[in-house]
Amino acid sequence: MKKIFKALFMTLAFVTICAVVFASPENPTDGEVLAAYNKALPVFEYFDIKPLPTNGEMKKELGFMIYYNVTDPKIKSMGALRSAMDGVFTPALSNMILTSRNMYREFNGTLYVAPAGRKVNKFAGNTTFKVTQRTADKIILQTSTEIFGKDLKTVVKYQTKDFNYVKTASGWRFATFEAIK
């Protein structure tokens, strides 16, 4: 009897281990994809609308760019900025954003920013979201934003953008991201 229980226990343990090792990670729900978007948006805005804050006390000039020390208590170095980016974007997208925009530099271990945020599009209205699972490792988050006419009351068109949300070795990350307003 003991041998039967032992064999049953070993079989059950083996099946459980195999299920854990070979189980595919859960697919995010629509709510989780939207939450991920809301987490990624402020990080993207560091390079678009809302650069990291500075008090202007320390500045560095590099060519035609003037950089000021970043005062965000959570992001004090390029490594910390990169970590925040890699938490929501794929490494390829993080690299592309960092290299295409020379907004941030690190001097002597301190992060500096050339604050050059743009204004929000005043013609952009409400945005709706649609989540579509394309494959086991790719989800499309589609946004549709109202665009108002000159009167800022009449919707004249809708601007649609797709964001690729992909499964990586580090979890789900955005492979594409851009401003919608």
Side-chain angles (χ1 to χ4, degrees), residues 19 28 72 82 97-98 107-108 111 123 134 173 177 180:
D72 187 296
R82 181 60 190 241
I97 293 170
L98 281 171
F107 299 102
N108 299 321
L111 186 62
F123 296 103
R134 292 288 187 214
R173 302 289 190 269
F177 210 91
I180 60 173

Side-chain angles (χ1 to χ4, degrees), residues 33-54:
V33 173
L34 293 174
Y37 171 83
N38 288 325
K39 184 179 176 186
L41 184 60
V43 175
F44 182 79
E45 287 181 345
Y46 297 159
F47 297 86
D48 188 40
I49 295 173
K50 297 177 187 171
L52 288 167
T54 178

